[in-house]
Amino acid sequence: FANKGAFNSPQQIILLRFQVWQMDIDDESVDRLWIILKAAIQQILRKDTGGLCFSELYNIAYMLTQQRRAMKMYAGLKEIITQHLSSNVKPEMVDSQKNNFLGILYKTWSDYLVEITMIEDIFIRMDQIYAKNHGMDSVFAIGVTLFKEQVLSHSSIKKQLQQLLLGMIDQDRKGELVDRENIRNICKMLMILSLDGRSLYEEYFEEPFLSRSIKLFQSESRKLLAEKSADKYLKEVEDRIEEEEERALSCLDISTGERIIQVVEQEMIVKHMRTIVEMEISGLVHMLEHTKTQDLARMYRLLGRVPGGLKLMCDCMSSYLRQRGQLLFSQEKAGLNPVDQIQNLLDFKAQCDHFLSESFNNNKLCNQTIIGEFEHIFNLNTHSPEYLSLFIHDKLTKGTKCLTEQEVESYLDKALMLFKILQEKDMFEKYYKQHLSYRLLSNMSVSEHTEKSMILRLKRECGFQFTAKLEGMFKDMSISTTTMEEFLSHIQTVPISLSGLNLTVKVLTSGVWPTQPQAPKCSIPSIPSTAFEVFRSFYLAKHNGRQLMLQYHMGWADVNATFYGSLQKVNDPESNAGGAQVTRKHILQVSTFQMTILMLFNNRETFTFKEIQQETDIPDNDLLRALLPLYWGKPSQRVLVKEPDCKQIKKEDIFTVNDEFSSKKYKVKMKLVPGKKEAAVPQKEGEKTRYRVDQERKLQIEAAIVRIMKSKNRLHHRALVTELTQQLQGSFQPSSAVVKTCIETLIEKEFIARTPEDERAYVYIA
Amino acid sequence: SLLTQLNLLRQRKVFTDVLLKAGGRSFPCHRAVLASCSRYFEAMFSGGLRESRDAEVDFHDSLHPEVLELLLDYAYSARVIINEENAESLLEAGDMLQFHDIRDAAAEFLEKNL
């Protein structure tokens, strides 16, 4: 008695004899008992069960099993059921084919199921001992199999069943009223008749159902595509999927749901998806262009269901984004304001992000597609580093716009998004330095806090090395403030006069700022120049060995100016009778160059251009740029008048002070060159920056090659380039042509050499 | 527990819906409780044969009343004490009336004590 199962072996059966049936019985008694059982089974199958006693029948079947008569019962049972099905049930079904066939079939089946269950209950012991041990069907399985063999497989019954069932589904699809319960019952019957699998259900119903559906959806989608736009078509498909899902759930076997949906997907989506996506006027591009968020969401949902659908959609989106993006942000659009161009690009990105979250469920592939295309568009334009920096400059410059701190921060976040995909990050840094220095030196920065929050963003993205110089600029600024305080208290203690001049000096560390080693010349007037010399000796006394160099082109001055006015007209009732001269005082905010020019007029009333040139010693370009805003602008706001009155300057042109200068403001700011953006970064500055960056890149590439070769000792060209790209990707992408020249340089300098065996491989020379 | 409550109901003959008889003794029971622990009783009460309608089921002499009592106590308490005296009867009755747990436990007992 090791376990429950052990009971079923013959030795133990002897032990388990029931009290009443203790003795072996003879064949005659067996036959007599079997006749009782047989009659009972036949009664059950005739639905005439009234007088039958369960315990009696059970006991007989139990006893006969114990007496090893199970085989006889098993065979006899099979025979009785077969007999009943073939001579009673089948003819009845064949006869009822005209009238409510499916209803009668199900009724017959469910009655039969009850009968079989009753019989099964009587033969529990036979199932447990005999059928199980001999690997034979249980009573229930015999009943099911016989029904299948004797009734359902009859050709006319099978045909009738299939036709009626499919016909009902056709009607249901058309929306006609159908007895769905009937369908559900028959499907349930077919599943039970399949026993543990689903073979019979498939053969009798599912396979013909699916192949009929394929044909239906094929013709339906062909018809719809000919008539409808992409969005309408997708709506139909979605409705179709919903309907089929609902039908399968409520009247077919649940496992068919998945299969029929696959058919819809295959026939209505997979086979036509390219057509749908690329449909003119209504396809994906149309939806994107017209912000059809819902339609796009539907397309995403439906194409996302099938393999390759999303990929196809993303490919189409890619080419649209690329086209649209290039139109929006191309090199050729140089005329447009860079800040607006970046804003346009950001707006476009925001629109794409709207689709991403509202239509595409933040799908990873869609996101990658969008980011990838923006990266392409943004890096295709060589102005991008400069424009991006200008965009940030615009937001960080105070005065012009009234942005809240949150607005500025949100712009900076958006800018950072573009920065992340920017390849030429080193180039960006150069421009950023220029713009930052402008903001810091001319006190135009919106706030130090905001500036630093931008630097922090850059630092998080690229590491501290990237922002070291930018942070150095802030450090110089704060040191300069301290230095100036010390200087002011210093001159109190010594008998030196600055002749009433307020001197502010910012000491900029060379290399950190975008200063020029050769600042343009200028002979500034003696008062400021003397004042500066006082500062110089103060500073150099403190910091032995340092050098100070004036960057005239970066300086500013506030100059007191007095305009004496001209004679007023006599008939002006408001003015003093007889006319008088009106003296106006202003503070002019000018550049160091302009200050130098203007102070000449303290000595004399008129100067020719040539004289100004000689006196100030300012290089022509800078001089012209400084002069222009002084004599050319609104006539009333010209500080100088030129004779002749035209924009162009000739050597002998004469300049005088415009005494009729008037302005509502007391403090008047002179712009260096009209146009704010150009003032920040003159066009030529851009070209120079690129040249400088190119030179720096070469050095960086060479240094990186030496580092790599030193650690690897020997490398093939391709491997070297891969390694190099990896090392430099934080700041820029080296072009292969530049890499080649750098390698040549290093070979010449004997840092590395080509290997004798392979021209394309290099070794490091220690 | 639920079973304890049902057993109390049985003792008070509340909601009992069948009377089992053996050797002259009667046992009022709930069909549901019997059907839930024996396939035999489940078949007997659900199949549509006579016992499913009759108020009484009489085992006459085919089942000793004490054995039936043990089986019923087990059905209402999930406990039965098997000893040398009742082991063999419980084995036989458990097998025929499809109380498989009792059959297995009795068989195990006999195996150990043989």
Side-chain angles (χ1 to χ4, degrees):
Chain A
F1 298 111
N3 55 40
K4 289 183 194 180
F7 259 97
N8 300 330
S9 53
Q11 311 88 288
Q12 277 114 45
I13 292 176
I14 311 292
L15 244 172
L16 300 177
R17 274 174 309 178
F18 199 53
Q19 274 179 312
V20 183
W21 317 101
Q22 260 173 355
M23 292 166 293
D24 280 352
I25 52 170
D26 53 28
D27 284 349
E28 205 182 303
S29 314
V30 169
D31 285 344
R32 196 167 36 79
L33 291 169
W34 168 243
I35 286 170
I36 298 174
L37 276 183
K38 187 176 168 183
I41 296 163
Q42 282 167 336
Q43 261 181 282
I44 290 173
L45 289 171
R46 280 202 310 271
K47 303 183 183 55
D48 172 23
T49 57
L52 296 175
C53 171
F54 171 77
S55 55
E56 187 190 326
L57 297 169
Y58 177 88
N59 285 358
I60 296 173
Y62 182 87
M63 199 272 296
L64 289 179
T65 306
Q66 307 297 68
Q67 296 281 340
R68 300 194 230 177
R69 297 305 204 284
M71 193 161 71
K72 182 185 166 74
M73 286 195 291
Y74 193 86
L77 187 62
K78 234 172 146 172
E79 199 189 311
I80 301 166
I81 298 174
T82 310
Q83 172 74 25
H84 167 71
L85 290 173
S86 69
S87 51
N88 301 331
V89 180
K90 182 165 72 184
E92 247 173 62
M93 280 320 301
V94 175
D95 281 350
S96 73
Q97 287 203 24
K98 297 281 171 299
N99 228 326
N100 186 21
F101 174 80
L102 291 179
I104 292 171
L105 177 61
Y106 181 68
K107 176 81 174 57
T108 306
W109 159 254
S110 52
D111 287 351
Y112 176 73
L113 213 54
V114 171
E115 292 150 17
I116 285 296
T117 311
M118 278 173 158
I119 295 169
E120 184 194 20
D121 285 345
I122 293 168
F123 290 93
I124 293 174
R125 192 63 193 172
M126 187 181 79
D127 268 350
Q128 285 172 343
I129 299 291
Y130 178 73
K132 199 173 160 197
N133 286 356
H134 292 78
M136 293 166 82
D137 282 348
S138 67
V139 173
F140 183 81
I142 293 172
V144 165
T145 311
L146 287 177
F147 189 84
K148 186 162 69 186
E149 283 171 9
Q150 295 298 322
V151 183
L152 275 198
S153 59
H154 186 272
S155 66
S156 72
I157 293 179
K158 179 177 178 182
K159 205 173 138 198
Q160 184 81 353
L161 184 153
Q162 288 181 331
Q163 278 182 354
L164 286 169
L165 207 52
L166 293 179
M168 283 174 90
I169 288 179
D170 281 350
Q171 284 176 302
D172 194 50
R173 277 185 173 146
K174 282 183 204 146
E176 291 168 24
L177 196 67
V178 165
D179 183 0
R180 279 186 155 202
E181 183 158 359
N182 222 337
I183 304 178
R184 179 168 56 236
N185 286 335
I186 297 293
C187 285
K188 217 159 51 183
M189 173 188 89
L190 292 174
M191 278 306 284
I192 295 175
L193 284 165
S194 305
L195 286 170
D196 292 335
R198 59 199 307 282
S199 58
L200 193 90
Y201 175 74
E202 282 173 7
E203 184 194 338
Y204 276 66
F205 170 67
E206 196 180 66
E207 275 166 21
F209 166 69
L210 292 178
S211 63
R212 196 184 181 89
S213 304
I214 290 176
K215 283 195 203 108
L216 176 77
F217 297 141
Q218 274 173 354
S219 70
E220 195 175 320
S221 60
R222 227 178 293 128
K223 197 170 138 237
L224 287 171
L225 280 171
E227 293 169 356
K228 309 233 172 189
S229 54
D231 54 318
K232 298 259 167 48
Y233 179 83
L234 290 170
K235 238 179 245 163
E236 295 274 356
V237 174
E238 199 166 55
D239 288 349
R240 185 49 97 191
I241 287 175
E242 210 172 285
E243 278 167 29
E244 293 298 329
E245 233 160 22
E246 189 272 335
R247 178 173 303 109
L249 205 66
S250 66
C251 45
L252 312 180
D253 185 69
I254 198 156
S255 59
T256 302
E258 205 178 297
R259 292 173 169 84
I260 186 67
I261 295 309
Q262 263 175 16
V263 170
V264 183
E265 287 171 353
Q266 184 63 26
E267 297 306 324
M268 300 192 83
I269 304 176
V270 175
K271 287 192 175 168
H272 304 292
M273 58 189 179
R274 185 167 291 278
T275 314
I276 304 164
V277 168
E278 292 175 356
M279 202 178 272
E280 266 180 79
I281 314 175
S282 66
L284 178 68
V285 170
H286 173 87
M287 293 176 187
L288 289 168
E289 269 176 347
H290 295 82
T291 326
K292 304 276 189 192
T293 313
Q294 294 306 317
D295 292 340
L296 285 167
R298 187 172 293 113
M299 183 181 276
Y300 166 78
R301 280 200 299 274
L302 291 173
L303 266 66
R305 301 174 75 108
V306 303
L310 219 51
K311 173 85 171 46
L312 180 80
M313 220 177 113
C314 285
D315 287 350
C316 180
M317 187 161 70
S318 257
S319 63
Y320 163 74
L321 293 181
R322 189 166 289 207
Q323 247 178 337
R324 178 77 204 285
Q326 281 174 10
L327 228 64
L328 212 69
F329 191 73
S330 78
Q331 199 100 25
E332 283 77 54
K333 285 199 142 183
L336 225 84
N337 178 338
V339 177
D340 293 345
Q341 280 205 53
I342 294 285
Q343 188 58 54
N344 288 345
L345 196 65
L346 286 175
D347 290 346
F348 187 40
K349 177 70 168 50
Q351 200 186 3
C352 291
D353 287 344
H354 165 79
F355 293 138
L356 184 67
S357 65
E358 301 304 309
S359 305
F360 305 147
N361 194 28
N362 289 315
N363 175 276
K364 210 173 145 197
L365 184 66
C366 295
N367 189 28
Q368 280 169 357
T369 304
I370 294 171
I371 297 268
E373 282 314 316
F374 271 85
E375 197 172 335
H376 175 84
I377 296 160
F378 193 52
N379 286 304
L380 205 63
N381 189 334
T382 54
H383 292 311
S384 286
E386 180 182 0
Y387 285 8
L388 180 60
S389 177
L390 274 172
F391 179 79
I392 298 169
H393 180 66
D394 183 64
K395 308 305 171 203
L396 292 179
T397 305
K398 74 173 167 194
T400 44
K401 291 152 294 287
C402 298
L403 298 173
T404 65
E405 198 176 319
Q406 275 136 329
E407 281 170 329
V408 174
E409 292 283 337
S410 118
Y411 277 121
L412 296 184
D413 283 338
K414 284 173 189 160
L416 194 77
M417 183 274 294
L418 289 178
F419 176 75
K420 279 184 187 167
I421 58 172
L422 180 68
Q423 278 162 5
E424 298 186 299
K425 292 192 168 60
D426 57 342
M427 194 70 144
F428 169 85
E429 191 234 23
K430 296 288 175 299
Y431 284 110
Y432 196 84
K433 228 160 87 172
Q434 280 174 21
H435 298 144
L436 177 61
S437 89
Y438 173 85
R439 292 196 295 276
L440 293 179
L441 295 178
S442 50
N443 200 21
M444 289 299 284
S445 179
V446 76
S447 83
E448 191 177 326
H449 172 75
T450 318
E451 288 284 0
K452 290 209 166 143
S453 92
M454 185 65 211
I455 303 281
L456 195 67
R457 283 180 174 83
L458 297 175
K459 196 173 182 173
R460 261 191 224 127
E461 195 57 34
C462 291
F464 70 96
Q465 263 181 326
F466 187 82
T467 53
K469 286 184 178 176
L470 302 177
E471 284 173 302
M473 291 164 75
F474 286 101
K475 205 172 153 199
D476 279 353
M477 291 301 285
S478 70
I479 291 175
S480 293
T481 312
T482 323
T483 309
M484 281 321 291
E485 281 164 10
E486 287 166 7
F487 175 65
L488 287 176
S489 54
H490 165 76
I491 53 172
Q492 308 268 308
T493 60
V494 290
I496 301 171
S497 159
L498 298 183
S499 318
L501 185 123
N502 275 330
L503 183 69
T504 308
V505 181
K506 304 258 194 290
V507 182
L508 314 181
T509 311
S510 66
V512 170
W513 296 75
T515 49
Q516 291 172 16
Q518 293 288 286
K521 283 186 294 182
C522 176
S523 40
I524 52 172
S526 68
I527 294 176
S529 133
T530 316
F532 176 69
E533 287 311 321
V534 173
F535 176 80
R536 188 199 294 274
S537 43
F538 160 78
Y539 186 83
L540 291 182
K542 269 182 67 137
H543 304 281
N544 204 4
R546 290 200 187 166
Q547 251 189 319
L548 282 183
M549 225 176 309
L550 265 178
Q551 302 278 321
Y552 302 107
H553 60 296
M554 292 163 88
W556 293 87
D558 285 1
V559 190
N560 284 315
T562 312
F563 297 95
Y564 293 100
S566 55
L567 281 173
Q568 297 284 310
K569 290 229 169 90
V570 185
N571 57 1
D572 188 343
E574 297 296 313
S575 66
N576 297 334
Q581 282 187 321
V582 181
T583 307
R584 277 184 293 270
K585 289 198 172 183
H586 287 280
I587 290 179
L588 301 180
Q589 291 187 302
V590 295
S591 71
T592 304
F593 290 141
Q594 287 170 329
M595 170 196 78
T596 310
I597 296 163
L598 290 176
M599 282 181 75
L600 292 177
F601 292 89
N602 283 339
N603 308 327
R604 233 165 68 198
E605 271 186 26
T606 59
F607 282 87
T608 64
F609 178 67
K610 201 175 161 188
E611 286 167 337
I612 296 177
Q613 254 180 327
Q614 284 165 354
E615 295 283 333
T616 62
D617 217 11
I618 301 171
D620 281 3
N621 269 340
D622 296 298
L623 182 58
L624 289 170
R625 239 193 290 156
L627 263 174
L628 190 66
L630 297 176
Y631 71 86
W632 194 250
K634 259 204 223 155
S636 63
Q637 294 199 1
R638 292 175 184 171
V639 181
L640 300 177
V641 201
K642 183 173 83 76
E643 187 62 41
D645 183 15
C646 62
K647 197 176 176 185
Q648 195 125 35
I649 294 183
K650 291 209 182 67
K651 286 232 179 252
E652 302 306 326
D653 285 356
I654 298 163
F655 291 90
T656 46
V657 174
N658 176 22
D659 273 327
E660 282 172 84
F661 177 89
S662 73
S663 171
K664 282 178 193 148
K665 292 179 198 154
Y666 178 59
K667 257 190 177 180
V668 184
K669 194 172 163 72
M670 288 294 132
K671 288 165 183 169
L672 193 60
V673 156
K676 197 170 130 279
K677 262 100 216 174
E678 282 177 64
V681 177
Q683 203 61 38
K684 273 188 184 158
E685 208 55 40
E687 283 163 32
K688 271 191 222 156
T689 304
R690 183 153 287 278
Y691 175 78
R692 273 213 307 272
V693 168
D694 281 347
Q695 292 307 309
E696 272 176 34
R697 279 185 186 176
K698 272 187 194 159
L699 292 177
Q700 275 194 51
I701 294 172
E702 283 175 18
I705 293 175
V706 172
R707 270 202 308 277
I708 293 165
M709 291 307 298
K710 193 169 177 182
S711 73
K712 301 270 160 142
N713 203 25
R714 190 197 149 92
L715 262 187
H716 191 266
H717 181 79
R718 205 173 312 130
L720 176 61
V721 171
T722 315
E723 190 91 4
L724 199 58
T725 315
Q726 241 165 34
Q727 283 211 2
L728 297 173
Q729 70 187 0
S731 54
F732 63 96
Q733 276 204 321
S735 81
S736 59
V738 177
V739 171
K740 273 183 194 154
T741 28
C742 289
I743 290 175
E744 290 306 324
T745 316
L746 290 172
I747 290 174
E748 248 171 58
K749 289 183 183 166
E750 298 188 334
F751 277 103
I752 58 173
R754 293 183 199 281
T755 59
E757 315 88 72
D758 188 353
E759 271 280 283
R760 306 272 291 159
Y762 313 106
V763 284
Y764 178 70
I765 303 171
Chain B
S1 74
L2 179 64
L3 207 51
T4 318
Q5 293 304 317
L6 286 169
N7 203 12
L8 286 174
L9 289 177
R10 175 172 74 123
Q11 282 154 15
R12 287 161 48 206
K13 299 191 181 76
V14 177
F15 304 133
T16 51
D17 52 4
V18 68
L19 195 69
L20 298 189
K21 285 185 173 177
R25 284 183 63 189
S26 303
F27 302 93
C29 300
H30 303 97
R31 288 172 200 257
V33 173
L34 299 180
S36 68
C37 56
S38 149
R39 170 91 199 275
Y40 174 85
F41 282 111
E42 186 194 353
M44 175 184 273
F45 296 136
S46 68
L49 300 190
R50 216 163 65 201
E51 291 91 332
S52 66
R53 294 182 303 273
D54 289 354
E56 281 182 26
V57 175
D58 198 340
F59 288 97
H60 302 287
D61 295 327
S62 68
L63 193 58
H64 197 282
E66 281 170 25
V67 176
L68 179 59
E69 191 173 22
L70 283 172
L71 291 180
L72 294 176
D73 286 345
Y74 171 75
Y76 276 93
S77 67
R79 269 164 224 281
V80 66
I81 293 167
I82 300 173
N83 52 38
E84 279 171 39
E85 275 168 45
N86 66 17
E88 207 166 329
S89 312
L90 282 177
L91 176 60
E92 285 170 355
D95 186 61
M96 199 184 107
L97 300 188
Q98 306 275 342
F99 279 83
H100 291 177
D101 293 342
I102 288 191
R103 180 194 66 189
D104 294 350
E108 200 179 324
F109 179 87
L110 285 173
E111 188 194 14
K112 278 184 186 157
N113 291 281
L114 267 179

